[in-house]
Amino acid sequence: MTHNTPLSPRPLHDLADVRRRVVRTAQLRAQGLTPADITTRCRPGGPWQQLLPGVHLLHPGPPTSEERLHAVLLYAAREATPGVPAQPGPSHPGPSHSGPSHSGPSHPGASNAPRHVYADAVITGLAALTLHGFTATPPLPSLDHIDVLVPRLRRLRTTGCARVIRTAALPAPETVTGLPVAPVPRALADAVADLADADAVRHLLTEAVRAGHCDPASVVRELTRAKLLNRPHVVDAVDSLIAEGRSLAEDRLYAMVSAYGLPDPVWNVGLRLPGGPHLGGLDAYWPDQAVAIELDTRAPRQTEDTQWSEYARKREHLERLGITVVHITPRKLRDAMEQQAAIVRTALMASADRDPAAYVVVLPR
């Protein structure tokens, strides 16, 4: 038998499933192939190639982006216990039984067991952002490496196109094109950790918020966890991100008042007592009902306890004066606008049952 002798009557180009084109050495061994057989087929000019240690591509020529992604996951994923087939998870269902069955010998990459679950391996970084649909990231074929998260105690090394990032706790992955992919905030943090270009960092963070992938608070939380806020170019990008988030939140607040028929407030004002101190700024205020809205667009940094205390003191002071303050976050405006409108409407209606508020001077901010 030569290395060109087919192992199955089914030609390779008929196998559309990438999991049959990218396989582990163990899968080939399970089909009866010896290490010498595998080595022979992976020689230059042969029909197969080794993409990563223990991971083979069952056709010649460059791998596709999809094949590279699956190869990295196969390399990094924890193998199932011998004799126990991997169980399909909610994002990786088992093979469909609606199609025709095939009898006889199977292709080396095929298996009658449920599809492999990529346990303890999650795509992150720029590759993950591209999969999430970012336009500021390079296309997958141009990436020299693909970042993959694994538990800290896994004994894996970065090699080939797989760059291993160890973490104390894997994030709950999102399923994108059938692959386990880190949520956008975590993928951003892992990508930013490797970027020194201030413009590139700013573009990524801005797109994350502007395109609705996530809110600024979740991004800054991940950057804080990754200890990246000691880098000046990241801090500058975060300041731009917070400004972008506030602008979007204000637009959504205007839209909420209009869409749900709330009475028009006065926008972006400051309050003070007659002849007294300034009471603070508000994003919206209904003077007749003494109801105010304050958007919380603070960056959730560990050092901002003082700022939160100032927010709380201002709110308590206004409420002692009889002013109801509705505290709204950008995420609530994005994900539950109708609910927030109902809260504001209830506060406006309840004003008739409250004692009159203290007289305050309303100033433009």
Side-chain angles (χ1 to χ4, degrees):
M1 177 183 289
T2 70
H3 65 263
N4 290 316
T5 303
L7 297 174
S8 165
R10 300 180 64 198
L12 181 64
H13 63 265
D14 286 344
L15 301 172
D17 190 346
V18 69
R19 291 180 179 87
R20 301 188 181 199
R21 303 192 304 267
V22 183
V23 299
R24 278 186 168 132
T25 303
Q27 293 172 268
L28 298 176
R29 294 291 300 276
Q31 295 290 328
L33 287 169
T34 67
D37 293 330
I38 298 170
T39 299
T40 298
R41 286 166 175 77
C42 291
R43 286 175 179 168
W48 299 351
Q49 53 188 304
Q50 180 174 307
L51 290 183
L52 291 165
V55 180
H56 302 273
L57 179 63
L58 303 189
H59 70 74
T64 66
S65 296
E66 184 184 23
E67 288 166 346
R68 293 175 75 216
L69 288 165
H70 282 273
V72 169
L73 286 168
L74 273 183
Y75 170 69
R78 175 174 49 80
E79 294 194 53
T81 302
V84 180
Q87 298 300 309
S91 61
H92 301 282
S96 171
H97 297 289
S98 60
S101 61
H102 297 278
S103 60
S106 62
H107 189 273
S111 172
N112 293 326
R115 287 182 179 177
H116 182 79
V117 177
Y118 297 122
D120 288 347
V122 179
I123 297 294
T124 190
L126 292 175
L129 296 177
T130 299
L131 288 168
H132 278 296
F134 275 62
T135 60
T137 54
L140 290 172
S142 67
L143 292 176
D144 294 330
H145 60 263
I146 294 169
D147 291 331
V148 59
L149 287 167
V150 301
R152 180 172 291 167
L153 297 181
R154 291 289 308 283
R155 301 181 69 179
L156 280 175
R157 62 184 178 86
T158 293
T159 184
C161 63
R163 185 164 72 171
V164 174
I165 300 176
R166 292 177 177 80
T167 181
L170 280 177
E174 299 177 6
T175 302
V176 183
T177 66
L179 301 172
V181 178
V184 167
R186 177 57 192 268
L188 274 171
D190 289 330
V192 167
D194 195 42
L195 294 175
D197 187 315
D199 288 338
V201 172
R202 186 172 62 255
H203 289 156
L204 285 179
L205 300 190
T206 300
E207 181 174 355
V209 173
R210 186 175 296 171
H213 292 289
C214 57
D215 59 89
S218 61
V219 175
V220 179
R221 190 175 299 113
E222 283 293 340
L223 294 175
T224 301
R225 181 201 56 77
K227 297 180 173 58
L228 295 173
L229 292 182
N230 58 353
R231 303 182 183 184
H233 69 286
V234 176
V235 174
D236 291 344
V238 165
D239 290 341
S240 297
L241 176 72
I242 299 304
E244 181 78 16
R246 166 160 281 280
S247 177
L248 286 174
E250 289 175 345
D251 289 345
R252 291 189 177 114
L253 183 58
Y254 299 148
M256 182 190 78
V257 169
S258 175
Y260 292 97
L262 297 173
D264 289 332
V266 289
W267 298 101
N268 295 315
V269 296
L271 303 182
R272 68 172 177 84
L273 290 171
H278 183 66
L279 299 173
L282 299 169
D283 295 283
Y285 184 58
W286 287 266
D288 293 341
Q289 294 85 7
V291 173
I293 289 179
E294 185 167 36
L295 289 173
D296 181 7
T297 56
R298 294 171 302 118
R301 301 173 189 170
Q302 294 176 342
T303 58
E304 291 196 339
D305 290 343
T306 300
Q307 186 177 356
W308 171 247
S309 297
E310 291 174 359
Y311 269 72
R313 282 196 296 270
K314 179 175 74 173
R315 180 174 180 173
E316 291 171 1
H317 192 180
L318 291 174
E319 291 184 343
R320 283 199 300 270
L321 296 172
I323 297 171
T324 299
V325 181
V326 180
H327 188 261
I328 300 180
T329 65
R331 174 178 288 184
K332 289 178 180 178
L333 272 177
R334 184 190 67 188
D335 299 338
M337 182 181 288
E338 183 176 4
Q339 181 188 47
Q340 302 310 303
I343 292 171
V344 173
R345 181 177 286 108
T346 299
L348 293 171
M349 294 173 62
S351 66
D353 300 325
R354 300 196 310 266
D355 292 334
Y359 177 77
V360 294
V361 178
V362 181
L363 301 170
R365 187 167 61 166

